[in-house]
Amino acid sequence: MPPIRTSKSSKTPPEGFDDLEDMLLEFANKMKDAGNAPHEGKRKNEATWEIFKISHQRSRYIYDLYYNKEAISKELYNYLLKNNYADAMLIAKWKKQGYEKLCCLRCIQAKENNFNATCICRVPKARLGTEQQTVECVSCGCRGCASGD
Amino acid sequence: MASFNLPNCPPNPGSFNRPPPPRPPMLAPGWTEHKAPTGHSYYYNAATKTSTYTRPVAPTPAPAPFAAGPTPGPYPAPGPYPSFSQPPGGYYGGQFNQQQFPNQQFPPPQQQFGHDQNRGRGWMGRGGRFGNQRQHRQKPEEKPDRPKSKRTIPGATPWVLVKTKLGRTFVHNTETKVSLWKVPEDVQAVIDTMPPEDEATKELKAKKKLASDTDGLKQEVSEPRGIKRLAPAALETEGKDGTGAADINEEEEDEEDEEGEEEEEGSEDEHDAHGNKRLKTGEAVEFTEDDVAWQLEAMAEEYGFEEDDFEEGEDMIAEDNINSFKEMLDDYKINPYSTWDAEMPRIVEDNRYVLVTTTKRRKDVFTEWCKDRIAEIKAEKAKQKKVDPKISFWAFLKENASAKLYWPEFKRKFKKVSEMKDTKLADKEKEKMYRDYISHMKISESLRENDLKKLLRSNSELSRLTSLEDLPESILIDVRYVTSPEKIRDAIIKDHLATLSEAPMNEAEKKAKEELERKARAIRDREAAVRKDQWRLRGEEQRAKDMLKEEEALIERAKIVSKRGLLGHIIKKEDEGEEGGKPSGPDGGGLP
């Protein structure tokens, strides 16, 4: 969660930040909405899924801008990471082969699971077997983030 | 849409031979009873061109069903069959490949079915054809039956023998537009004597090619053709009486057709025996992959297609499609800094959206486009002159700043204004500018005028050619320029500019001038140092002189001997020693 920027604490962000500002603001608003959304009718785990989702989307947005679209400078990218606009640890995973679409870091923490295995969302769709029901992982609601899918 | 209907009730080929059950001839006048190969009987009114399953009852006995005694030429039931509406019992809708048939009941037989003469002259396009074929291969049993090829019957001119895809045959009268599963007897007799398909058609083909070269242009334009494919052993008839009869509604007679008929007549006799044998077997033709391949090859030859013409398609189209997809993105002014998910709803309605087929591919194209677009934007920005954010903030201060407000108050008051939110200027910078502005506005106008003059004098970027509009930034962002009284500011600047040289000093001149200045300063410094030295030396000299004088005076005094003689000196010395060695004045010796 990026800190709230007040005019008092503002250090001028690097050049090019204006271009992204709208999208970042949109993400911030979505995040606010997700935080304020009622949890009635949701399962215990489900409450945080939306937060994870938006956080993931925002990280992906910045990752894409820097690595795929080459739209932002390294300076600005570092600024965004430093200010927690994107999850640097998650992005670090995305750079690794096999983790290109990783949904969240908890899903690859094998030790947190019963059988010391990664989350169900890491299993490629092809290997899930015949049952067609949608899989939603407990930690972040991911429906599958295997690279091959 | 034109519907091209087979005879009204052509069901599965197996049931062809079933004889119609007897019926009491109690039909209303004008109605004829017909038998569907399924065994249903239905009723057709030639006058109203309607058909029905329910028996139209009339007091008078109905005319005999036409199957009983057909005459050659126009069939008992005159006029076109009711083939547009779904006929009773007919399970061929008008749904297949309608675009390939003209919008009347029936296309001319020659063009539809004469694979030999007309093939390759008016296909809708190979995409459509291949598409159909593929579909056909996948689920052949679901496809409704359709006419596939046709032959003219040499002995019975208006009748043509039509073969369907499922291998059934029917006859069609091109003049009366009547199609019948049941072949009239006299026609059947002729059919029985016809040569088998292949040889006849091959000869026909050669002939027709020549003919079509000369006069086939008209049909080419107007007639889209419905041939799917043709096998070498294409037209076979189930020639038994009353088995396979079908109906096609045709509307045009083709001249080429006539030629074909004549041609065929010649070859009729040779193949007579063979033809009969084939006809009697009545077997359906199986289309194998080879047949299809042969067919395609023949098409390609006719068109002059190369092998790769068929393969080429996809990539080329994809390229074009991607370009139009990008154009669409341009048209909608999509923000390249946005995400696919955010922008997708805006473009999804556009026709060009589907040009790129999969969403994954679309995303890729979108990313690619964003990359290019951002690069463009960056290049544009680099071209533009950078404007110091201070200039706009000065303008903002000029309008809003007042001495009555301290900075925090001012900030609070204008915190929603875009200039105050602008992050290019740090907050501290803004505060400093505000304070500067306020403090400068407090001093008198004449002093501010002098400040401006000083500023102009100190600036080296100005020249006589500088106009008021393009003053250098170094001046524009200076508080002395901003706070100078507006009324006389331009005049002062103009005056100053008039005194300047043509061009602002360039680098070399600047250096030379600096060098000169440096030298002058060095000389000045040296002089000052020398002067100081001299002054110090003079002081020392003076002091030395003084000391010398003193000593001389002492000696002078010593020389003066009073009445007491030398004793006086001694006593005096002692007194002086007691008093702390104070030198006594020259006259002091004579006192005590």
Side-chain angles (χ1 to χ4, degrees):
Chain A
M1 180 87 190
I4 294 155
R5 285 200 304 141
T6 60
S7 55
K8 204 170 189 182
S9 66
S10 78
K11 218 180 178 187
T12 316
E15 198 155 329
F17 185 79
D18 311 354
D19 300 327
L20 324 184
E21 214 166 10
D22 290 345
M23 273 312 281
L24 293 176
L25 199 67
E26 208 167 286
F27 278 122
N29 289 339
K30 266 194 209 169
M31 189 64 103
K32 234 182 246 174
D33 291 346
N36 294 331
H39 62 273
E40 277 98 24
K42 282 183 184 169
R43 278 177 280 146
K44 189 176 76 178
N45 297 320
E46 226 169 316
T48 53
W49 287 359
E50 193 62 20
I51 311 274
F52 271 96
K53 190 177 142 195
I54 295 164
S55 163
H56 173 95
Q57 281 173 345
R58 186 167 49 194
S59 295
R60 178 61 81 174
Y61 171 62
I62 288 162
Y63 173 84
D64 274 347
L65 279 179
Y66 185 62
Y67 287 101
N68 295 337
K69 297 183 185 173
E70 290 161 20
I72 56 176
S73 61
K74 182 158 185 68
E75 204 186 6
L76 177 55
Y77 176 67
N78 286 336
Y79 171 87
L80 292 168
L81 289 188
K82 194 187 161 208
N83 287 287
N84 289 335
Y85 284 100
D87 185 350
M89 305 302 273
L90 188 57
I91 288 180
K93 291 291 175 213
W94 286 343
K95 292 183 209 163
K96 288 170 71 182
Q97 195 183 14
Y99 293 87
E100 288 92 346
K101 294 179 189 170
L102 181 65
C103 55
C104 70
L105 289 170
R106 271 170 76 184
C107 286
I108 49 167
Q109 280 293 334
K111 281 180 185 170
E112 287 181 6
N113 285 328
N114 282 344
F115 299 104
N116 281 347
T118 50
C119 180
I120 185 75
C121 66
R122 300 292 304 149
V123 181
K125 285 247 164 45
R127 293 182 59 185
L128 269 179
T130 49
E131 79 260 35
Q132 289 299 310
Q133 88 249 22
T134 52
V135 175
E136 287 182 323
C137 86
V138 175
S139 43
C140 62
C142 171
R143 295 182 181 187
C145 55
S147 294
D149 285 345
Chain B
M1 269 309 228
S3 68
F4 159 22
N5 289 327
L6 297 181
N8 281 347
C9 351
N12 33 17
S15 60
F16 279 5
N17 290 333
R18 204 182 301 162
R23 285 269 173 183
M26 286 171 60
L27 286 170
W31 288 91
T32 48
E33 181 178 1
H34 301 268
K35 207 43 125 180
T38 45
H40 294 91
S41 49
Y42 63 93
Y43 308 92
Y44 173 62
N45 191 330
T48 58
K49 294 176 184 176
T50 51
S51 52
T52 175
Y53 279 127
T54 54
R55 189 179 179 81
V57 191
T60 54
F66 78 70
T71 52
Y75 216 61
Y81 235 59
S83 37
F84 305 147
S85 55
Q86 183 80 3
Y91 77 107
Y92 309 104
Q95 77 270 37
F96 43 85
N97 251 19
Q98 276 108 344
Q99 85 276 9
Q100 296 182 344
F101 298 100
N103 47 357
Q104 291 92 2
Q105 298 106 318
F106 223 80
Q110 282 71 22
Q111 283 157 7
Q112 270 180 321
F113 309 112
H115 78 286
D116 35 8
Q117 72 268 33
N118 285 333
R119 190 185 54 214
R121 270 211 279 127
W123 292 103
M124 285 303 286
R126 56 177 204 270
R129 205 184 108 262
F130 291 140
N132 278 333
Q133 196 148 359
R134 217 171 291 133
Q135 212 179 343
H136 177 72
R137 265 184 233 164
Q138 280 161 0
K139 342 175 160 179
E141 56 288 300
E142 282 174 26
K143 266 275 194 184
D145 204 354
R146 340 172 29 177
K148 196 189 63 193
S149 59
K150 130 204 119 139
R151 299 172 67 190
T152 50
I153 303 166
T157 310
W159 293 94
V160 280
L161 185 63
V162 180
K163 190 166 171 64
T164 66
K165 277 175 153 185
L166 293 182
R168 292 177 288 177
T169 53
F170 60 90
V171 288
H172 173 70
N173 190 323
T174 54
E175 281 174 6
T176 57
K177 321 290 189 212
V178 171
S179 299
L180 298 168
W181 286 116
K182 260 184 168 180
V183 186
E185 272 168 16
D186 54 330
V187 179
Q188 182 62 49
V190 179
I191 289 173
D192 287 346
T193 61
M194 275 167 67
E197 181 59 19
D198 354 16
E199 288 90 341
T201 50
K202 266 175 198 166
E203 279 179 35
L204 257 174
K205 182 176 174 179
K207 251 274 157 50
K208 283 296 141 121
K209 250 188 169 176
L210 283 173
S212 63
D213 284 341
T214 55
D215 65 350
L217 209 68
K218 197 180 74 189
Q219 284 87 4
E220 209 169 46
V221 181
S222 62
E223 298 290 336
R225 267 162 213 103
I227 307 175
K228 301 303 292 179
R229 53 185 174 168
L230 298 157
L235 293 181
E236 277 192 7
T237 51
E238 298 171 304
K240 289 170 193 168
D241 281 351
T243 53
D247 133 352
I248 297 179
N249 291 329
E250 294 183 8
E251 51 166 307
E252 283 179 51
E253 185 68 271
D254 205 4
E255 292 142 288
E256 287 172 26
D257 188 33
E258 311 282 317
E259 283 176 21
E261 281 165 32
E262 285 157 20
E263 158 69 20
E264 219 174 51
E265 260 170 315
S267 62
E268 183 185 342
D269 289 337
E270 317 165 18
H271 306 292
D272 208 358
H274 187 34
N276 267 338
K277 213 170 96 192
R278 294 285 293 269
L279 287 171
K280 270 169 198 158
T281 56
E283 66 199 14
V285 176
E286 281 276 307
F287 272 92
T288 60
E289 288 289 315
D290 288 345
D291 290 336
V292 176
W294 179 87
Q295 195 66 35
L296 291 176
E297 221 170 76
M299 301 292 189
E301 260 172 41
E302 194 107 328
Y303 265 95
F305 283 156
E306 294 302 316
E307 277 279 307
D308 13 14
D309 280 348
F310 296 99
E311 258 65 69
E312 137 210 7
E314 305 239 325
D315 280 351
M316 287 290 292
I317 291 164
E319 187 79 7
D320 288 347
N321 287 354
I322 286 171
N323 285 338
S324 6
F325 191 84
K326 285 180 181 174
E327 263 172 40
M328 172 185 70
L329 294 173
D330 280 330
D331 289 350
Y332 280 85
K333 295 198 168 58
I334 299 292
N335 177 10
Y337 288 99
S338 185
T339 59
W340 167 254
D341 293 330
E343 298 294 345
M344 195 262 283
R346 288 175 57 196
I347 54 171
V348 75
E349 299 289 340
D350 196 281
N351 290 336
R352 287 167 287 183
Y353 179 76
V354 289
L355 288 180
V356 179
T357 44
T358 60
T359 307
K360 197 183 171 200
R361 191 84 190 85
R362 281 178 206 134
K363 272 188 197 171
D364 288 348
V365 175
F366 176 75
T367 308
E368 205 179 300
W369 176 83
C370 285
K371 194 174 164 183
D372 297 346
R373 185 84 191 86
I374 287 169
E376 269 174 42
I377 292 174
K378 273 186 180 170
E380 262 171 44
K381 267 188 188 168
K383 264 185 211 166
Q384 275 177 358
K385 264 199 280 176
K386 267 192 181 175
V387 180
D388 200 304
K390 277 184 178 179
I391 294 174
S392 61
F393 193 72
W394 278 129
F396 168 68
L397 285 183
K398 212 170 211 176
E399 269 177 33
N400 298 303
S402 96
K404 288 174 189 167
L405 293 174
Y406 289 118
W407 167 246
E409 291 165 329
F410 178 79
K411 201 168 74 167
R412 201 182 311 128
K413 187 175 176 185
F414 293 103
K415 67 181 172 190
K416 297 260 168 77
V417 183
S418 64
E419 276 90 349
M420 290 296 283
K421 281 196 218 162
D422 187 10
T423 50
K424 280 181 200 126
L425 271 180
D427 204 42
K428 270 181 190 166
E429 191 73 25
K430 283 179 198 161
E431 182 176 354
K432 188 163 172 276
M433 285 167 76
Y434 182 79
R435 290 187 192 283
D436 271 354
Y437 184 82
I438 297 296
S439 59
H440 270 83
M441 289 308 275
K442 275 177 185 164
I443 58 180
S444 73
E445 275 197 16
S446 57
L447 282 177
R448 279 186 272 149
E449 215 180 296
N450 284 337
D451 276 346
L452 177 64
K453 279 175 189 164
K454 264 186 216 164
L455 167 70
L456 292 173
R457 250 177 275 137
S458 67
N459 195 298
S460 60
E461 287 172 53
L462 292 170
S463 76
R464 196 186 298 169
L465 299 179
T466 317
S467 68
L468 286 175
E469 283 76 38
D470 57 305
L471 288 171
E473 239 176 38
S474 54
I475 289 193
L476 292 179
I477 61 166
D478 200 294
V479 67
R480 288 174 288 183
Y481 169 81
V482 178
T483 53
S484 58
E486 298 231 358
K487 280 171 263 169
I488 48 170
R489 181 167 72 190
D490 288 355
I492 291 171
I493 295 172
K494 260 183 200 163
D495 288 349
H496 176 76
L497 291 179
T499 64
L500 293 172
S501 59
E502 281 288 320
M505 282 174 288
N506 58 27
E507 284 298 299
E509 281 177 33
K510 231 183 237 176
K511 264 188 189 166
K513 197 183 173 190
E514 269 173 24
E515 184 71 9
L516 269 178
E517 265 177 22
R518 196 179 56 80
K519 276 180 185 166
R521 197 167 52 241
I523 291 170
R524 242 180 290 126
D525 289 350
R526 180 67 196 146
E527 276 172 0
V530 168
R531 227 177 294 132
K532 209 177 173 184
D533 264 357
Q534 279 174 347
W535 184 77
R536 186 172 50 82
L537 284 177
R538 228 181 297 138
E540 274 173 16
E541 204 178 348
Q542 195 60 43
R543 271 197 296 282
K545 273 180 187 168
D546 286 350
M547 276 173 67
L548 218 57
K549 267 182 194 166
E550 226 171 83
E551 272 167 26
E552 271 173 15
L554 216 64
I555 291 166
E556 281 301 313
R557 208 175 11 151
K559 281 180 187 167
I560 301 165
V561 181
S562 61
K563 288 171 192 169
R564 291 163 77 183
L566 282 175
L567 188 64
H569 277 283
I570 293 161
I571 294 161
K572 203 181 176 182
K573 275 265 159 69
E574 280 169 1
D575 290 349
E576 275 173 7
E578 282 162 18
E579 286 168 19
K582 272 183 191 170
S584 57
D587 52 340
L591 281 173

